[in-house]
Amino acid sequence: DGGITQSPKYLFRKEGQNVTLSCEQNLNHDAMYWYRQDPGQGLRLIYYSQIVNDFQKGDIAEGYSVSREKKESFPLTVTSAQKNPTAFYLCASSYPRGSYGYTFGSGTRLTVV
Amino acid sequence: RKEVEQDPGPFNVPEGATVAFNCTYSNSASQSFFWYRQDCRKEPKLLMSVYSSGNEDGRFTAQLNRASQYISLLIRDSKLSDSATYLCVVNIPNTDKLIFGTGTRLQVFP
């Protein structure tokens, strides 16, 4: 079955540490996205990529980095420069123009310890 | 004005009730509209797309009013399992990006 997989489900980060969240899809979607959701809040776009080897900053890119070396994969690194990284991170993918909506992964819950 | 605006609720309704949510959007050139459902601590899932002519899927009916720039979702015969947050979603024209509303929370009680 086609889908989008995020790992790990839970992640704990120490202060000053970089961590990488994995996102893989086998839906043959060109576009991929990373969102952050804080408790009781809406989704905020971190980065998105429309094609391989290309990506753009979203609304809250500071302290994050991404790569898109393969169509199927769009990993997100939360760097030590992100001062408040505790949140629920959601990866999504779509066909061009998002015409059929986005498919989301099940998310990674990141906590700073 | 926010790009997509929803009443946050919560809407507390008894089982069997009919409940309606509205959502307004700011960009008149938007062409794609969706309702998503998000359960607590889970990812959003596509509930239904919204078409100009209106569309129905079982107990759920979605409607679009382009002139007034709002979208509605009607849930008939509410079930306990309908309890969730409902997100209104609108595309940004000429991009791959969708804008998600902050959601309307529904709580169905016995």
Side-chain angles (χ1 to χ4, degrees), chain A residues 29 33 93-104, chain B residues 31-36 45-51 89 91 96 98:
Chain A
H29 285 168
Y33 315 82
S93 66
S94 76
Y95 289 113
R97 301 299 187 200
S99 305
Y100 300 100
Y102 292 173
T103 300
F104 283 89
Chain B
Q31 294 291 326
S32 300
F33 309 92
F34 309 92
W35 283 102
Y36 274 72
K45 291 186 177 176
L46 180 64
L47 179 65
M48 58 198 304
S49 301
V50 185
Y51 303 118
V89 184
N91 79 308
D96 289 334
L98 301 178

Side-chain angles (χ1 to χ4, degrees), chain B residues 12-29:
Chain B
N12 295 305
V13 303
E15 272 186 292
T18 295
V19 62
F21 308 136
N22 288 330
C23 162
T24 57
Y25 61 96
S26 61
N27 193 327
S28 60

Side-chain angles (χ1 to χ4, degrees), chain A residues 84-96:
Chain A
N84 186 22
T86 295
F88 187 41
Y89 290 86
L90 287 158
C91 180
S93 66
S94 76
Y95 289 113

